[in-house]
Amino acid sequence: MLNFDDANKAGKDTMDTMLKSCSTMATGMQTIASEAADYSKKSFEHSAAMVEKLSGAKSMEKVFEIQTDFAKSSYEAFVQQATKMGEIYADLAKDVYKPFERSMGKAGN
């Protein structure tokens, strides 16, 4: 049977675990937002450079070449960023769960 002190300690431990988890989540979301903003900026700059190249194209062949290169590099950049974001999300999920994992380990003892 739990007494008041045990219940109080359990409540405090649970609150500490929640606060650690929430703090980790907030930090992770800041990282994700920063990554998304950086990718958006790079993507916009890449698009602007492509438009500039297109405006200087002297033939339709050059236009198709510029567009093909742009599509290829945009796709590669997207896949790279998607992979990076996936890794960030996976790491965040692991980090957010860690305080609970430790807490569950204590409860099992």
Side-chain angles (χ1 to χ4, degrees):
M1 181 167 180
L2 283 176
N3 63 29
F4 181 74
D5 290 335
D6 291 340
N8 191 25
K9 184 181 179 332
K12 182 185 178 309
D13 289 347
T14 300
M15 184 58 76
D16 288 345
T17 300
M18 291 290 292
L19 290 174
K20 286 176 188 174
S21 182
C22 288
S23 176
T24 301
M25 178 65 90
T27 302
M29 288 302 181
Q30 287 174 340
T31 301
I32 289 167
S34 177
E35 280 294 325
D38 288 346
Y39 175 73
S40 294
K41 181 181 176 188
K42 289 175 189 174
S43 180
F44 178 78
E45 290 169 353
H46 187 231
S47 297
M50 187 267 302
V51 170
E52 190 175 318
K53 285 181 186 177
L54 280 176
S55 66
K58 304 271 190 230
S59 68
M60 285 305 288
E61 282 181 10
K62 190 64 175 171
V63 167
F64 288 128
E65 179 184 325
I66 292 168
Q67 287 179 329
T68 301
D69 290 345
F70 174 76
K72 182 181 177 190
S73 61
S74 293
Y75 176 75
E76 289 170 353
F78 171 76
V79 169
Q80 182 180 19
Q81 187 66 27
T83 301
K84 186 176 185 178
M85 293 296 277
E87 290 169 357
I88 290 171
Y89 275 106
D91 290 343
L92 176 59
K94 289 175 192 172
D95 291 344
V96 167
Y97 181 69
K98 278 181 188 176
F100 294 104
E101 195 173 61
R102 281 187 229 117
S103 179
M104 296 306 274
K106 288 179 188 176
N109 291 334

